[in-house]
Amino acid sequence: MSADRGRRIAVVVLIVVLLLPPLASVLPGSPGAVRVAGVTLLWWYAALIGPLAAALTAVLSRALR
Amino acid sequence: MIAVRALAAWPGPALVAAVVAAVAAGAAAAPLLVLAAAVAPLLALLQPRRAAAPSHPVTLLIAAAVATLLLWAHLALLADAATLLGMRRWQGTVLAAALALLVTLMPGAARRRGLLLAAGGAALLLVLVAAGAAVGITPWAAWREAAGRPALVFSGRSAWVTDGERFVRRATLAFDEAHRVVAVTPGTFRVIEADGTRRVVRDWRLAAGDAVSLRPGDTLTAEAGSRLRFEPGKHVPGAAASGSVWADAATRASPTPALGMLATLALGACALVPAGDRRMAAAPALSLALSIGAASWGVYATLAAPEAGLAGSPAEALLSLPRAASRPAHGVLVALVALGLLALFVAAADGLRERVGEAAGAGWPTVWTVTMMTAAVAATVPVVDPWTPLAAGLGLAGAAVAAPRLGAGNDARRVLGWPLEAIGALLGAAAYAGLTVLSARMPAALAPLGATPVLAAAPAAWAVARLLRTPR
């Protein structure tokens, strides 16, 4: 895979990471309000899972360059 | 360019404080703000590398306007912090602006930028760890505890109860239970009493120690600089009704304002943070530290001081966390927070200085000095909260810097003697300013565009640069 293609894929992944919470908020059943270990899924995602996924994507994209 | 240096313009004290204050207050946008603050700079680092834009008066004017707005936001935050620490507003502004000018005008400033960002971040991280140890629970356990509170009330240890605290800017407080409020300093307070369907407006001129009794449904307006003392055990006016309301507010956020905020932060980051190279190992770690650190800080702050938003400044949420520690350590931690914010400001200022320098060319020291002085004067006015110039600066940067740059790509073509990027920048800035001015007169259906003009201004600027670039 070319470096530029890797970079483009990483950009798309990061945009998806950012757009997931607003998209989840219009889904029926409020999946963001589900609690895991006492904390809502939305907060786990915003503070930990989303940034971690973004960081891993950035690292992988850089490794491909 | 190493990652720390590249990211320096991004966080800055105003953004860090805005994120922490939103988490502490349980704002609907809080989780998205945490996420966007962490992910947006990584997105910016992944931009394609491109040649420097040709200098043009329009791009210089926009770069200076963006820098002024962002510096204003950071200086306003530091001035708020100075006020809360008992100093005068202008003292905090002048001290921070003078220090930033001194550091950024000295040769080799770029080399010190990364060090300042690391030092500021480390100071705040140290305070967070110390406060977390004092509270004695993990951030997620603190979140659970905060969400389980039956009501958000003043504790007996709160400075708003013991000595009384100062309002940084004019605030109107709505009371939902009977409350006796004591003036610590003389002042005039407007009380609007709810008498059935009738509203009775009374202006109370209180001397130090005088009290005013409020009933459920009443509102009290306190001017900036006035100090009040509240009763322990009473609900914090304006705060969430309970822990569950605090926890669930974010899950009911409306998607349109959320998209506006995402666009503002993502495009703003693309304008401020340069494209990265291979040596960017620290960037993902920094962004992760920002999201986890800011979210944890906000959760600990709401647990230690649910009244942290009362003074009307996001700086209060940052300064309230050291209260979780015992008395001698408290002063040291407050000093560390102040020094950490100052270091983050100087690092952010140097990042902005580089952006202004790219647009100004050889005359950058004069442009930069005027920019800093304008921002310092604006920040002495307490009426405007730091978020307003921060959002405006990021939005303008997104619409008039990032969008036309992405649209023009590496095309160095000129149209009527103007670089493509300058044409897109002019249109983006004009659309952004026009939508901002007309926002109050817009019909309800277009209100989101008035609230976040970048949603319309950025696509317009991108489209114009892109259309002109396409060979005919």
Side-chain angles (χ1 to χ4, degrees):
Chain A
M1 183 163 44
S2 73
D4 193 53
R5 189 156 175 237
R7 184 188 61 75
R8 281 167 191 264
I9 291 171
V11 167
V12 171
V13 170
L14 292 200
I15 290 172
V16 170
V17 165
L18 282 173
L19 288 176
L20 267 181
L23 290 175
S25 71
V26 294
L27 290 176
S30 297
V34 173
R35 296 210 180 186
V36 177
V39 178
T40 58
L41 203 53
L42 177 62
W43 268 113
W44 279 120
Y45 180 81
L48 188 66
I49 299 166
L52 194 60
L56 287 174
T57 306
V59 169
L60 282 175
S61 149
R62 202 186 56 251
L64 287 172
R65 286 197 219 180
Chain B
M1 185 190 293
I2 61 165
V4 180
R5 235 188 262 175
L7 286 182
W10 178 241
L15 184 64
V16 171
V19 175
V20 168
V23 177
L32 209 57
L33 196 55
V34 171
L35 181 69
V39 177
L42 297 179
L43 197 59
L45 288 170
L46 289 170
Q47 294 176 92
R49 295 186 72 78
R50 58 192 301 280
S55 62
H56 191 275
V58 166
T59 48
L60 170 60
L61 200 64
I62 288 166
V66 167
T68 304
L69 285 165
L70 296 177
L71 289 172
W72 174 5
H74 298 319
L75 285 168
L77 189 277
L78 293 173
D80 285 1
T83 308
L84 290 168
L85 294 173
M87 289 168 67
R88 290 192 182 278
R89 192 172 181 84
W90 67 265
Q91 291 170 333
T93 311
V94 169
L95 174 76
L99 181 67
L101 261 187
L102 186 72
V103 173
T104 54
L105 287 174
M106 274 162 57
R111 282 198 304 275
R112 286 187 291 275
R113 192 193 316 154
L115 192 67
L116 282 165
L117 181 65
L124 295 181
L125 202 61
L126 192 64
V127 175
L128 178 62
V129 171
V135 174
I137 48 176
T138 58
W140 49 95
W143 196 97
R144 274 200 304 270
E145 200 167 307
R149 292 170 294 178
L152 274 64
V153 297
F154 290 100
S155 81
R157 289 193 325 136
S158 166
W160 284 98
V161 170
T162 52
D163 306 320
E165 277 285 3
R166 188 176 280 103
F167 287 89
V168 174
R169 45 188 57 88
R170 192 174 200 256
T172 298
L173 311 175
F175 291 81
D176 54 10
E177 65 179 334
H179 206 132
R180 189 171 174 273
V181 175
V182 179
V184 177
T185 52
T188 303
F189 300 88
R190 170 159 290 190
V191 175
I192 300 180
E193 295 174 4
D195 187 8
T197 54
R198 226 159 45 96
R199 297 257 152 202
V200 182
V201 179
R202 296 185 203 280
D203 286 327
W204 293 88
R205 190 165 183 78
L206 302 180
D210 286 353
V212 58
S213 291
L214 297 137
R215 295 175 302 177
D218 291 355
T219 65
L220 177 145
T221 300
E223 295 299 328
S226 55
R227 282 181 68 184
L228 287 175
R229 221 169 54 222
F230 293 83
E231 286 184 88
K234 292 292 174 81
H235 179 237
V236 178
S242 66
S244 64
V245 173
W246 171 85
D248 292 337
T251 58
R252 291 191 290 268
S254 175
T256 314
L259 286 176
M261 197 187 66
L262 279 183
T264 303
L265 265 73
L267 287 170
C270 287
L272 298 176
V273 179
D277 58 19
R278 284 185 63 87
R279 292 180 297 162
M280 300 305 255
L286 277 175
S287 114
L288 206 53
L290 179 64
S291 70
I292 295 174
S296 305
W297 194 301
V299 172
Y300 282 136
T302 189
L303 209 53
E307 69 284 358
L310 209 53
S313 168
E316 196 184 10
L318 278 172
L319 292 169
S320 66
L321 189 59
R323 285 184 205 142
S326 55
R327 207 61 180 152
H330 171 233
V332 177
L333 295 181
V334 167
L336 268 176
V337 173
L339 289 173
L341 291 176
L342 198 59
L344 285 186
F345 168 65
V346 179
D350 195 56
L352 292 171
R353 190 263 312 158
E354 200 168 67
R355 301 286 84 78
V356 170
E358 285 164 3
W364 73 263
T366 311
V367 178
W368 176 241
T369 306
V370 171
T371 301
M372 181 67 82
M373 287 170 71
T374 309
V377 170
T380 54
V381 181
V383 181
V384 184
D385 71 307
W387 177 254
T388 305
L390 181 70
L394 292 175
L396 180 62
V401 180
R405 187 194 292 165
L406 290 169
N410 274 321
D411 195 336
R413 188 144 47 103
R414 286 176 177 260
V415 175
L416 299 172
W418 281 45
L420 286 188
E421 207 170 311
I423 296 171
L426 183 63
L427 185 90
Y432 190 88
L435 287 168
T436 305
V437 170
L438 295 174
S439 59
R441 295 179 192 171
M442 280 186 180
L446 296 177
L449 294 183
T452 45
V454 72
L455 282 177
W462 178 86
V464 164
R466 183 82 190 179
L467 280 173
L468 292 174
R469 168 184 149 185
T470 309
R472 277 165 288 183

